[in-house]
Amino acid sequence: MPTSTRPNLTVSNRSPEGLKGLDPRLSRLRIDAERMQSDFDALSMIGSTGDGGVHRPALSAAHLEARAWFRERVRQAGLAVQVDSAGNHSARLECGLRAEAPVLLLGSHLDSVPHGGRFDGALGVVAALEILRTVQEAQSEGLPRLPVHLEAIDFTDEEGTLVGLLGSSAAAGRLTAEQLLAPRGGREALLEGLQRAGLQESGLLAARRDPSRLAGYLELHIEQGPRLLGAGAQIGVVRSIVGIVAYRLTFIGRADHAGTTPMADRLDAAQGASAFLLGVRQTVMADFPECVANVGRFEIEPGAFNIVPARATLSLEFRAAQPRALEHLEQVLLALAQGEAARFSLDLQVEPLGRHAPIQLSPAARAAVQSAAQALNVRTLALDSGAGHDAQMMAAVCPAGMLFVPSQGGASHAPREFTTWQDCVQGANVLLQAALRMAEAA
Ligand SMILES: [Zn+2]
């Protein structure tokens, strides 16, 4: 999902309070950049579209091939492979002091949007795996054991080809049978995907992780927007993930002969819908500068040159990082729709189609990322994510945090999506150091 809310430009190099110093043996740890690059490049070839992008919709053949590749890389590293009943794939490193130590999850997703970029999700998974190998090697050379075990996780269907945040909502125990009956990608596509992957619907609903076993969740992701580069920062410390509300609005008028009906006598549904469409942009830009709204679909019926439109149906989606702003925007946009319907003497049908509340990420996780970035002399920017991520689901059950690395040109969900390799490596090292800080605090 593309990023969009306006930044709060707090560029900071201050030391976060409340974090004690890390054992020097831990603070010196760095990932193996070459090994991570060879993973990233190999993964980029799976479902490659030949123009720098990948096509790996959830549970498609290419996505399953990427997951088979992941399992193989995990085995080659001597780590344990774990696949849960929602298809979430994990590498486990039992690096905790005690067998019953909680687990710190690091991860993202290996699925892509159709004809998407090769960094979205994939970077977070290969970085997580690389961190497990780094800690494993260091422990074999005498690094002390940690208060937690580590797990690198690839969540199922983050992008919403089928359901959206499917694996993480299942792991968080937030998935409902109802969602599976009317998924956004259609019921048939979901059932076909599950069959290809050898998964069961009942398994999706049974994949809940025990929150008391989770020390936290950290996710490295590309920003998918232009703010980090604009602010001259290399790491985004994510404060919150925006809330998203969706509606289908239908303006209802009357079909008439387009040649013989006088202009003043028409009940033209497209007029009210168009006035609303233009009003949405104007309203958000004038009164809600920290929000975004989109009308991504506009259908007119019956849809002919010579018939006055009887129905115009719009798909409206809007996002805000603050719950109050989201609610206020909702009231204003629905009132705008009512107003334009009345102005053109139309009826209005309002169907709510989903709502995700804004999520605040864990202050402890943010402090860990901030402290890690500072230790590595990396300039940070605190920001809100305008896109949905698995971290918003994990935030419901454990301390969850996210860090972003810059997206060149702000591009994402397209083959031209690009993050410099230097930024990817830096992001992975900040993730490693943040994970060690979270582990020590557990
Ligand atoms: Zn993603």
Side-chain angles (χ1 to χ4, degrees):
M1 296 172 235
T3 315
S4 36
T5 47
R6 179 179 282 196
N8 176 335
L9 292 171
T10 24
V11 174
S12 163
N13 287 311
R14 271 183 305 122
S15 168
E17 283 148 37
L19 278 173
K20 51 183 176 7
L22 204 59
D23 181 320
R25 286 169 296 181
L26 294 175
S27 60
R28 278 196 299 269
L29 269 194
R30 298 290 181 273
I31 59 129
D32 181 333
E34 263 177 49
R35 187 169 54 189
M36 183 169 94
Q37 181 152 32
S38 94
D39 275 358
F40 185 81
D41 290 346
L43 182 57
S44 300
M45 295 309 294
I46 303 175
S48 164
T49 48
D51 51 4
V54 294
H55 181 74
R56 289 199 300 258
L59 307 186
S60 65
H63 178 227
L64 297 180
E65 190 187 335
R67 293 188 131 180
W69 170 87
F70 177 76
R71 292 194 301 270
E72 187 51 33
R73 289 301 286 153
V74 174
R75 281 192 203 102
Q76 285 167 0
L79 297 164
V81 175
Q82 184 179 298
V83 179
D84 72 13
S85 61
N88 296 317
H89 276 49
S90 296
R92 291 268 306 194
L93 176 63
E94 304 291 320
C95 55
L97 276 167
R98 295 169 293 115
E100 67 278 15
V103 62
L104 177 62
L105 299 171
L106 310 174
S108 198
H109 58 95
L110 292 180
D111 68 316
S112 79
V113 295
H115 302 280
R118 65 191 188 278
F119 293 85
D120 182 351
L123 175 62
V125 175
V126 298
L129 174 59
E130 177 51 32
I131 285 168
L132 264 61
R133 286 185 300 224
T134 301
V135 172
Q136 181 188 37
E137 275 181 3
Q139 285 193 335
S140 74
E141 289 160 12
L143 184 84
R145 296 183 76 81
L146 303 176
V148 299
H149 300 304
L150 290 177
E151 183 176 326
I153 190 162
D154 152 38
F155 285 115
T156 300
D157 182 37
E158 189 274 346
E159 295 289 6
T161 304
L162 303 173
V163 179
L165 304 177
L166 175 59
S168 51
S169 60
R174 292 298 194 272
L175 187 67
T176 64
E178 204 179 28
Q179 280 172 278
L180 299 177
L181 287 177
R184 66 185 237 169
R187 176 84 180 151
E188 204 174 316
L190 174 62
L191 295 179
E192 283 171 11
L194 293 179
Q195 195 178 21
R196 261 194 308 273
L199 295 170
Q200 308 289 330
E201 228 174 320
S202 55
L204 298 180
L205 296 166
R208 177 179 174 273
R209 303 278 294 246
D210 176 357
S212 72
R213 312 287 302 152
L214 300 176
Y217 173 71
L218 283 177
E219 180 169 356
L220 167 66
H221 204 279
I222 54 167
E223 183 199 348
Q224 306 179 277
R227 294 168 291 173
L228 290 176
L229 285 177
Q234 287 98 47
I235 291 286
V237 184
V238 185
R239 294 178 299 210
S240 69
I241 298 176
V242 291
I244 305 180
V245 177
Y247 277 96
R248 185 183 295 124
L249 300 177
T250 306
F251 292 78
I252 302 164
R254 189 180 62 210
D256 272 310
H257 194 295
T260 58
T261 314
M263 293 301 283
D265 294 348
R266 300 176 184 208
L267 300 180
D268 184 340
Q271 296 298 316
S274 304
F276 171 72
L277 177 72
L278 295 173
V280 168
R281 176 181 159 86
Q282 207 171 21
T283 301
V284 173
M285 291 188 74
D287 302 329
F288 295 88
E290 298 198 342
C291 301
V292 292
N294 184 50
V295 175
R297 209 163 159 168
F298 190 151
E299 286 169 321
I300 292 172
E301 294 166 273
F305 284 102
N306 54 4
I307 309 175
V308 174
R311 294 168 71 90
T313 304
L314 304 182
S315 298
L316 169 70
E317 183 201 82
F318 46 95
R319 306 178 183 218
Q322 298 303 323
R324 279 180 54 196
L326 192 63
E327 262 173 50
H328 186 201
L329 179 58
E330 182 172 19
Q331 288 163 3
V332 169
L333 292 182
L334 292 181
L336 178 67
Q338 295 288 0
E340 296 299 359
R343 180 152 76 102
F344 291 91
S345 305
L346 305 169
D347 288 331
L348 179 70
Q349 212 173 65
V350 178
E351 294 167 79
L353 284 186
R355 167 184 307 269
H356 283 292
I359 296 289
Q360 301 299 314
L361 293 175
S362 147
R366 283 164 53 188
V369 173
Q370 182 66 46
S371 161
Q374 187 190 8
L376 292 167
N377 277 319
V378 179
R379 200 168 146 90
T380 61
L381 174 71
L383 40 63
D384 301 313
S385 173
H389 292 290
D390 291 311
Q392 78 197 64
M393 284 301 162
M394 298 315 290
V397 287
C398 65
M402 283 196 87
L403 55 151
F404 285 163
V405 285
S407 293
Q408 297 294 318
S412 185
H413 284 189
R416 70 180 195 284
E417 175 182 284
F418 185 73
T419 295
T420 68
W421 188 245
Q422 192 189 349
D423 283 338
C424 292
V425 170
Q426 189 151 263
N429 276 320
V430 174
L431 177 65
L432 166 63
Q433 287 296 317
L436 294 171
R437 283 159 171 75
M438 285 274 283
E440 289 299 300

